Amino acid sequence: MTSPIDIEDGGTSVVVDGEPGPQTEPEAKKLEGRSPGQLMWVRFKRDRTGVISAYVVAFFFLVGLLAPLISKLYGKDPYTVYADERPDLFDSAGVPLQPNGGISSQFWFGLEPGNGYDVFTKLLYGIRTSLMISVCVTVATVLTGILLGVAAGYLGGRSDYFISRVIDFLLAFPAQLFFIASMPVVVSLFVSPTDETPTYVRVVALIAVQWFLGWMSLARILRGTSLALREREFIEAARVSGASPWRIISKEILPNVVTPILVQSTYMLPGFVTAEAGLSYLGVGIVEPTPDWGQMFSKASTELVMQNDITYMFFPGVSMIIFIVAFNLLGDSVRDAFDPKTAR
């Protein structure tokens, strides 16, 4: 059996009889390629604010989806008029007798003054209604913005001129005033003014009115991005190879405009939530007995509530503030993850 022989005044050992020497260099680490989406995800996970905001937003959506189940476990619904079912809980003006709006172990968030709806279940279903409408509006506006914006930017010529003029014309409309003025008109197209308007008609009208003036900003952004992309070498190579315009748009341009689409979507949805709540607050959106965030604000602003039960405003107000702030912070984090050079 042999062993390494130390050489005097030397820094190394000599191995005899073929015995392996000590390993002096660590194994080289394997290089792993990452796609832009993976890099974006890694950057996003490092942003603590963005991750917390994502959890908050996901919580609100989960509450909206599970509202019927939570209401069933809670044992109440948002349609029971407790002013008639339990008149002993209210005074002669319809205000809950217990302090803080009637908050108790039986009614977690208290009771609504007047009709006496359960505030907790009404808030759950109100979140569900507002988010459902806002998501539908966002999807419709994003699809429209992609279709018209990318088409205008890539095709150019008369198509670009016509679409751009339509965008300029619609941007001249004052959005909020248009929403308020057009809602009764759109509803009257489906239901006679003398008949009671079904809830689904109001929902369709809210989606249509907000979509009509909601897609132009995204379309303008995508038009500018597509104008820059169509001059790139890979687009020219696809055009020379005989690819059709539709194939170039779907395979070459759309994958390169995912970033502005996602970023704008995260900013558009909370804007539509507040717009829908504002219309319901003004009485041209969702009305009682259908629960809605804005309709709860409308009820909370009445003289009966403001003078006797200010706590009724607390729960819908705080929940909407948290949701809007969290979604806006999420949008900032998504933007920074896609473009790390952007400084907040």
Side-chain angles (χ1 to χ4, degrees), residues 227-250:
L227 280 172
L229 287 173
R230 75 175 184 177
E231 305 300 331
R232 300 284 293 274
E233 290 80 2
F234 66 94
I235 298 294
E236 185 64 27
R239 191 182 297 116
V240 171
S241 65
S244 64
W246 169 249
R247 179 173 178 83
I248 294 175
I249 290 175
S250 60

Side-chain angles (χ1 to χ4, degrees), residues 140-142 144-146 148-149 163-175 178-179 209-223 264 268 272:
T141 53
V142 167
T144 307
I146 293 173
L148 297 180
I163 295 174
S164 298
R165 298 296 76 76
V166 171
I167 292 175
D168 294 338
F169 175 74
L170 293 178
L171 285 175
F173 281 77
F178 177 83
F179 292 161
V209 167
Q210 293 184 84
W211 160 81
F212 184 73
L213 289 183
W215 58 270
M216 294 85 71
S217 59
L218 178 60
R220 266 196 164 182
I221 294 173
L222 296 183
R223 173 188 174 272
Q264 282 298 113
M268 290 165 65
F272 289 133

Side-chain angles (χ1 to χ4, degrees), residues 21-39:
Q23 188 174 358
T24 58
E25 295 183 0
E27 296 182 0
K29 295 183 179 180
K30 295 182 179 179
L31 296 178
E32 182 180 355
R34 292 179 178 177
S35 66
Q38 291 173 326
L39 292 174

